[in-house]
Amino acid sequence: MPRTRLIRRRAGRPLLALLAAAALLLGAGLAPAGPAAAAPSPSAPDEGGSKQLRAALEAAAKGHIEAQARLDNSKRRQVALNGQLKQIELRLVELKAQVGEVAAHSYRVGRLTPVSALLASTDPDSFLQRAAELDVMAQRDSRRLRDLHEAQAEATQAKVALDAEVREQQKQLAILAKKKRDAEIALAKVSSGSSRGFSGGSGSAKPAPRNPDGSWPAESCSVNDPTPADGCITPRTLHMLQQAKAAGYKRYVSCHRSGGGGEHPKGRACDFSAASGGFENVSATGGDKAYGDSLASYLKNNASKLGVMYVIWYRQIWMPNTGWRSYSGGGSPAADHTNHVHVSMY
């Protein structure tokens, strides 16, 4: 080969390398994320189970959350009623003492009748003064008796209300027990029992808005889904996403899904990728597994603040009425949730 041609070929190699590197960098900056960031394959089981399982899990979890909210609200009312009853009882003691003084005075000196009081007057001015005093005494004694009767009626009403709250709490506890049984029955086909769960994840999320009685407000798929999935999500789901991001969980996440069942089409579920580059068709290990562990624990620790219905991660599912349970969704990383953390919202 001629020497001049060899020199030209060698001189061109650095230029080609530089052009290739530049193209790679530009492509990485402009391309969305490539196949790794795509959503789970449509052929994979949605949320790793059948439609019947998802419906049963949703019903059991929602029923538990609603019953727990009613129970907590009833306990708050009971505390308030107990405080009210104590105040009434203290007032009753004072009123009874006042009425007792009037009765004791009448017993000692005899009941002062209007006739005897007026006959004891020595002149017209004294007569008028006695008449005014009699009117004041009558009003005072009448008010004391009326206050006493009203306080007794209030005490009776407070006790009736307390009894009603006790019955309400017993009712909600029975519902909680039933919903736990429902969840265990639903999970029996995909779960082999309790599990240890995961470590990490703080409990410092900002609470989502609740109704005055402590229940969760009904929400529709009404706000823009900020994830690449595109579509709509509920305001509570958006709040959860924002809180998770603020806590440091910033890897790829996909929420809305137009097809299939479960909560994704309702804007009430999200899938958080364990890998930093997006969903991968392999089970997470090392740092990716630790990231998923921490995120799953964070969602569980903040469930009552955020409105989390259940969490699925790495062959385990957490529900508020069962705790962590083992979970088998079908064997693949997507179905068994070993490559992403799934969260369903109330």
Side-chain angles (χ1 to χ4, degrees), residues 65 72 116 118-119 131 141 145 148 213 223 232 261 300 319 339:
I65 292 170
D72 293 342
S116 61
L118 294 174
L119 288 175
D141 295 346
L145 287 170
L148 177 61
D213 65 357
V223 298
C232 64
K300 171 255 180 184
M319 297 178 70
N339 67 347

Side-chain angles (χ1 to χ4, degrees), residues 118-187:
L118 294 174
L119 288 175
S121 305
T122 56
D123 52 57
D125 290 338
S126 175
F127 181 88
L128 292 174
Q129 182 179 354
R130 286 294 182 90
E133 289 173 351
L134 280 170
D135 184 56
V136 170
M137 291 170 60
Q139 291 182 20
R140 180 199 63 191
D141 295 346
S142 176
R143 185 177 64 253
R144 286 176 175 174
L145 287 170
R146 184 176 64 252
D147 290 347
L148 177 61
H149 292 152
E150 288 177 354
Q152 288 173 331
E154 288 178 14
T156 300
Q157 290 173 358
K159 290 175 181 177
V160 170
L162 278 170
D163 291 341
E165 292 305 333
V166 171
R167 291 193 298 272
E168 172 67 15
Q169 290 168 31
Q170 291 171 342
K171 174 184 173 183
Q172 297 307 323
L173 286 171
I175 293 175
L176 287 171
K178 181 182 183 302
K179 293 304 176 183
K180 181 178 181 179
R181 290 193 300 272
D182 292 346
E184 289 172 343
I185 291 171
L187 288 171

Side-chain angles (χ1 to χ4, degrees), residues 9 133 186 275 316 330-331 341:
R9 182 173 295 176
E133 289 173 351
Q316 295 187 47
V341 177

Side-chain angles (χ1 to χ4, degrees), residues 67-268:
Q68 187 65 56
R70 294 191 190 103
L71 177 62
D72 293 342
N73 195 37
S74 177
K75 287 180 177 179
R76 285 192 293 269
R77 290 196 301 264
Q78 185 181 28
V79 170
L81 284 168
N82 273 321
Q84 179 184 345
L85 182 59
K86 287 181 180 178
Q87 290 179 348
I88 294 172
E89 287 173 342
L90 289 173
R91 193 160 151 243
L92 277 171
V93 171
E94 182 182 349
L95 290 171
K96 285 178 180 178
Q98 293 176 1
V99 172
E101 289 176 4
V102 174
H105 181 270
S106 298
Y107 178 78
R108 287 195 305 270
V109 301
R111 183 170 177 80
L112 181 64
T113 65
V115 174
S116 61
L118 294 174
L119 288 175
S121 305
T122 56
D123 52 57
D125 290 338
S126 175
F127 181 88
L128 292 174
Q129 182 179 354
R130 286 294 182 90
E133 289 173 351
L134 280 170
D135 184 56
V136 170
M137 291 170 60
Q139 291 182 20
R140 180 199 63 191
D141 295 346
S142 176
R143 185 177 64 253
R144 286 176 175 174
L145 287 170
R146 184 176 64 252
D147 290 347
L148 177 61
H149 292 152
E150 288 177 354
Q152 288 173 331
E154 288 178 14
T156 300
Q157 290 173 358
K159 290 175 181 177
V160 170
L162 278 170
D163 291 341
E165 292 305 333
V166 171
R167 291 193 298 272
E168 172 67 15
Q169 290 168 31
Q170 291 171 342
K171 174 184 173 183
Q172 297 307 323
L173 286 171
I175 293 175
L176 287 171
K178 181 182 183 302
K179 293 304 176 183
K180 181 178 181 179
R181 290 193 300 272
D182 292 346
E184 289 172 343
I185 291 171
L187 288 171
K189 295 181 180 180
V190 293
S191 174
S192 58
S194 60
S195 189
R196 296 178 62 183
F198 307 98
S199 60
S202 70
S204 58
K206 179 182 177 182
R210 286 180 180 260
N211 292 321
D213 65 357
S215 62
W216 290 111
E219 293 183 348
S220 63
C221 196
S222 59
V223 298
N224 227 13
D225 182 357
T227 72
D230 197 17
C232 64
I233 56 176
T234 67
R236 197 155 43 244
T237 303
L238 177 61
H239 177 78
M240 177 275 297
L241 279 172
Q242 293 169 338
Q243 290 301 299
K245 184 176 180 180
Y249 304 102
K250 301 178 181 180
R251 294 186 178 182
Y252 185 87
V253 56
S254 177
C255 295
H256 187 267
R257 191 181 302 158
S258 58
E263 289 80 35
H264 282 289
K266 304 172 187 175
R268 295 197 288 111

